[in-house]
Amino acid sequence: MLVLVAPGQGAQTPGFLTPWLDLPGVEDRLREWSAAIDLDLVHYGTKADADEIRDTAVAQPLLVAASLVSARQLFATPEDFAARVGAAAGHSVGELAAAALTGTLPDLAAMTLVRRRGLAMAEAAAVTETGMAALLGGDEAEVLPHLEKLGLTAANVNGAGQLVAAGTAEQIAALVEDKPAGTRRVVPLKVAGAFHTQHMAPAVTALESAVAELPVTDPHTRYVSNKDGQVVTSGQELVRRLVGQVANPVRWDLCMETFKELGVTALIEVSPGGTLVGLARRALPGVQTLALKTPDDLDAARTLIAEHSAMAE
């Protein structure tokens, strides 16, 4: 059983879209989306530096665009995707890419929504200086009370011994100085705010009005939600969760538990892949994984799809 996943914010690196533009139709599609959302995806994906693409309002559309153009190289039609992929999910903003890939939103609607999401979250992040930090190692039974003591939120519970805390800059600094017992490292992340916390509440309000205008259908493929790791079959419920998730923790650990329960045998992370594959290798032993970093990885991805898709059974 094949699972397809899309990465979240922080996965972007300068120039990562450059090799994809050599593929037929990709640059035209990116320019079409760029015009629709008033953001030059080609520039930011090929020439912008790390600071420019760290901007939430830029990073989020860039990541969803990369996930969509890379995944569309692997599946000819929605029917092909539905026949071959057993389940799909995205980490944080990657959920919007997964919503498009499972047919809940048209690609352009997903791009429009992610642009609104990025702008709304950037605006919310500007109110107070906030941030996030990854905690590597440690027992959740000890880590979670420690975060609560410092006033921090467990914004991403990623599984495989990784948890991301979020809060004010002062709270993150305090965590770096006073890490929980058993935690090997605390690594501040290159993000612009405390995402998936109460600091993002204003962005939820902005997105509630944005989704009212979008065409929504039920997903044609199992969609695993960050909210609780559950499979969502209603398009309207899926979109409602996308909105609320902006201010609530990402439970990627529960998503991986659901992959396991569904019988996952292979997992592909679309561009810019790597982070979620790393988590899967630790949390899902025995599952074959592939990170789709550049077009050079497409042949290997196609082979994995052929071996593990539902059509191969």
Side-chain angles (χ1 to χ4, degrees), residues 99-113:
L101 292 171
T102 57
T104 299
L105 294 172
D107 286 0
L108 185 55
M111 291 304 304
T112 301
L113 181 57

Side-chain angles (χ1 to χ4, degrees), residues 22 52 113 120 124 160 173 181 191 267 271:
D22 292 333
E52 289 179 279
L113 181 57
V191 296
L267 179 145
S271 180

Side-chain angles (χ1 to χ4, degrees), residues 276-291:
L276 301 181
V277 158
L279 293 170
R281 285 173 178 165
R282 295 192 291 276
L284 301 171
V287 173
Q288 287 189 252
T289 59
L290 186 144

